[in-house]
């Protein structure tokens, strides 16, 4: 009985842990995305922007997870095909573009981190990241779920310790930033929405976790929780960044914070956790492509050769290495800002209209 309850409890949390693990990535984890989208809005404006992101993430995750559960579409190709028909290929185009951008970001971040920490070539970090991603992909779904879920607990623990220490040391600065913050106009709404939309493109990459959801309550609740689980570390990180205002304009904000803290042990702990999240992000994105291939072949009665999974992992990571040469700041500013509109058009709008309509229609047909 206890095992059954635990399993049911985990159904609500695992999709959120996987969503957080994939969404956090290099730009989020280093504070670069948080500073760019929220730090520039001031303390209160940044928090309001995150509230916008939370609402959008939670609602879209809830609807998507329920759509996936109801129609048993556990990969992005089958889901978007069910929503858009042949036009579902447009989502795939946007997803592949985002995949390349994200792999470029995580490779650039990993290389920079290892170089800064150990004073060695960036290639050591890139190689270590690639090996970690490839090994997880080869191990398969269960291992990926277990590793990503466990690492979420580790991440939360380190982020909370990080925030507490910063608050103790720079609490007066944080209080001052809060008290003097002014919200002008509605740019925080656009920032929060833009950040939410380009990240929502990865929700279909987490659909394999929805297989465990047996009821609408489980699917919808896990979706609502996914938004919260995904945004809470960003809230903690934004508070930290306002404790050291100079970090908002730094290329790697958390590095500036640690320079001010002068606590090498905490810096190493944070960097190790962040490196793990980079592996998680790359793994999540590539696994979605692997699932798309395997489920498509299975639907046609075929069997995917064993060499396909490692080949997809190796080729994807190599392409990501090439994309990383464009640099972290440029990839975040130019790539993410553009692709978010693509996901708004080919995923968010269709899912909230056609997707919701098809869920309601299926409900009515099942009652007849």
């Amino acid at each position: 009985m206890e095992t059954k309850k635990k399993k049911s409890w985990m159904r609500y949390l695992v999709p959120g842990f996987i969503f957080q693990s994939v969404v956090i990535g290099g730009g989020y984890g280093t504070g670069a995305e948080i500073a760019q989208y929220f730090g520039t809005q001031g303390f209160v404006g940044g928090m309001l922007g995150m509230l916008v992101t939370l609402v959008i993430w939670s609602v879209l995750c809830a609807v998507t997870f329920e759509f996936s559960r109801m129609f048993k579409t556990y990969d992005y190709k089958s889901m978007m095909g069910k929503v858009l028909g042949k036009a579902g290929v447009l989502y795939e185009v946007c997803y592949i573009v985002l995949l390349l951008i994200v792999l470029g970001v995580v490779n650039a971040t990993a290389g920079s981190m290892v170089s800064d920490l150990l004073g060695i070539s960036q290639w050591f970090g890139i190689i270590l990241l690639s090996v970690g991603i490839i090994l997880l992909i080869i191990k398969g779904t269960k291992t990926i779920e277990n590793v990503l879920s466990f690492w979420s607990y580790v991440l939360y623990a380190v982020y909370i310790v990080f925030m507490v220490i910063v608050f103790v040391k720079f609490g007066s600065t944080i209080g001052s930033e809060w008290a003097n913050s002014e919200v002008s106009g509605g740019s925080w709404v656009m920032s929060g929405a833009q950040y939410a939309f380009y990240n929502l493109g990865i929700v279909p990459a987490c659909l394999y976790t929805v297989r465990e959801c047996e009821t609408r309550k489980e699917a919808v609740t896990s979706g609502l929780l996914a938004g919260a689980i995904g945004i809470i570390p960003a809230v903690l990180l934004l508070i930290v960044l306002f404790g050291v205002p100079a970090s908002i304009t730094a290329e790697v904000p958390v590095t500036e914070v640690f320079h001010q803290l002068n606590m090498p042990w905490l810096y190493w702990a944070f960097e190790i956790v962040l490196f793990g999240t980079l592996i998680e992000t790359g793994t999540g994105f590539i696994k979605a492509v692997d699932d798309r291939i395997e489920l498509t072949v299975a639907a046609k009665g075929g069997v995917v050769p064993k060499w396909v999974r490692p080949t997809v992992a190796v080729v994807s990571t190599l392409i990501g290495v090439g994309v990383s040469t464009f640099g972290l700041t440029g990839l975040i500013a130019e790539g993410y800002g553009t692709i978010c509109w693509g996901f708004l058009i080919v995923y968010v709008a269709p899912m909230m209209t056609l997707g919701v309509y098809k869920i309601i229609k299926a409900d009515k047909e099942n009652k007849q």
Side-chain angles (χ1 to χ4, degrees):
M1 186 71 174
E2 185 178 349
T3 303
K4 187 175 180 181
K5 286 183 178 179
K6 183 177 181 182
K7 184 178 180 181
S8 178
W9 173 69
M10 287 302 293
R11 283 178 190 158
Y12 293 106
L13 298 179
V14 168
F17 287 150
I18 303 302
F19 173 70
Q20 179 219 68
S21 297
V22 179
V23 78
I24 198 164
Y28 182 145
T30 61
E33 291 175 8
I34 306 305
Q36 181 173 325
Y37 285 94
F38 304 107
T40 55
Q41 303 300 317
F43 202 130
V44 175
M47 289 296 178
L48 290 174
M50 285 188 174
L51 180 60
V52 172
T53 299
L54 166 62
V55 172
I56 294 174
W57 278 0
S58 291
V59 172
L60 261 294
C61 284
V63 172
T64 301
F65 290 174
E66 172 56 13
F67 187 94
S68 177
R69 183 199 68 83
M70 177 170 280
F71 296 105
K72 301 188 185 307
T73 54
Y74 301 122
D75 69 290
Y76 67 76
K77 180 180 182 294
S78 62
M79 187 191 73
M80 295 313 300
K82 185 69 176 177
V83 176
L84 293 175
K86 292 182 179 180
V89 69
L90 296 175
Y91 171 86
E92 186 156 31
V93 171
C94 289
Y95 183 81
I96 295 302
V97 172
L98 181 62
L99 168 69
L100 297 178
I101 294 172
V102 168
L103 290 178
V105 169
V106 297
N107 274 287
T109 305
S112 178
M113 283 174 55
V114 171
S115 179
D116 291 342
L117 279 173
L118 304 176
I120 58 179
S121 171
Q122 294 187 358
W123 286 105
F124 285 98
I126 293 173
I127 292 171
L128 183 59
L129 176 83
S130 299
V131 170
I133 291 173
I134 292 169
L135 287 176
L136 276 179
I137 293 293
I138 292 173
K139 286 291 184 180
T141 300
K142 195 62 181 177
T143 298
I144 292 173
E145 283 188 357
N146 290 337
V147 171
L148 268 59
S149 297
F150 169 75
W151 206 251
S152 290
Y153 290 117
V154 176
L155 180 142
Y156 263 93
V158 172
Y159 265 55
I160 290 172
V161 170
F162 185 30
M163 189 197 73
V164 169
I165 291 175
V166 169
F167 196 87
V168 169
K169 191 163 185 177
F170 302 113
S172 59
T173 302
I174 295 173
S176 178
E177 289 288 332
W178 173 269
N180 297 326
S181 179
E182 295 182 0
V183 180
S184 57
S187 60
W188 54 271
V189 177
M190 182 60 70
S191 292
Q194 189 176 18
Y195 186 69
F197 288 147
Y198 87 73
N199 277 299
L200 278 172
I202 72 169
V203 174
C206 307
L207 294 181
Y208 63 93
T209 63
V210 184
R211 289 190 182 99
E212 300 297 324
C213 293
E214 298 177 351
T215 65
R216 173 165 294 176
K217 178 183 176 182
E218 289 177 348
V220 172
T221 303
S222 64
L224 295 176
L225 288 174
I229 293 171
I231 201 64
I232 287 174
V235 173
L236 300 179
L237 190 52
L238 184 64
I239 294 172
V240 165
L241 297 185
F242 275 109
V244 183
S247 65
I248 301 295
T249 56
E251 182 175 7
V252 184
V254 295
T255 300
E256 179 62 29
V257 174
F258 280 112
H259 284 164
Q260 297 289 335
L261 282 176
N262 192 27
M263 290 184 173
W265 66 269
L266 183 59
Y267 183 45
W268 274 86
F270 187 92
E271 293 292 278
I272 290 171
V273 168
L274 178 56
F275 197 93
T277 66
L278 299 180
I279 294 176
E280 291 180 322
T281 299
T283 299
F285 271 90
I286 296 173
K287 176 173 171 48
V289 176
D290 185 60
D291 285 347
R292 179 252 192 268
I293 295 171
E294 292 188 2
L295 292 174
T296 299
V297 173
K300 296 179 180 179
V303 178
V304 179
K306 292 183 178 180
W307 57 263
V308 170
R309 183 180 293 177
T311 300
V312 170
V314 171
V315 171
S316 299
T317 53
L318 288 177
I319 293 174
V321 171
V323 177
S324 68
T325 58
F326 289 99
L328 181 60
T329 303
L331 285 169
I332 293 172
E334 301 299 328
Y336 286 165
T338 302
I339 200 64
C340 78
W341 300 113
F343 284 118
L344 174 61
I345 295 169
V346 304
Y347 166 56
V348 178
M351 181 56 72
M352 293 305 295
T353 52
L354 292 173
V356 171
Y357 167 75
K358 291 184 178 184
I359 290 173
I360 295 173
K361 183 180 178 181
D363 271 342
K364 291 181 178 178
E365 291 175 350
N366 291 335
K367 290 178 181 178
Q368 292 177 354

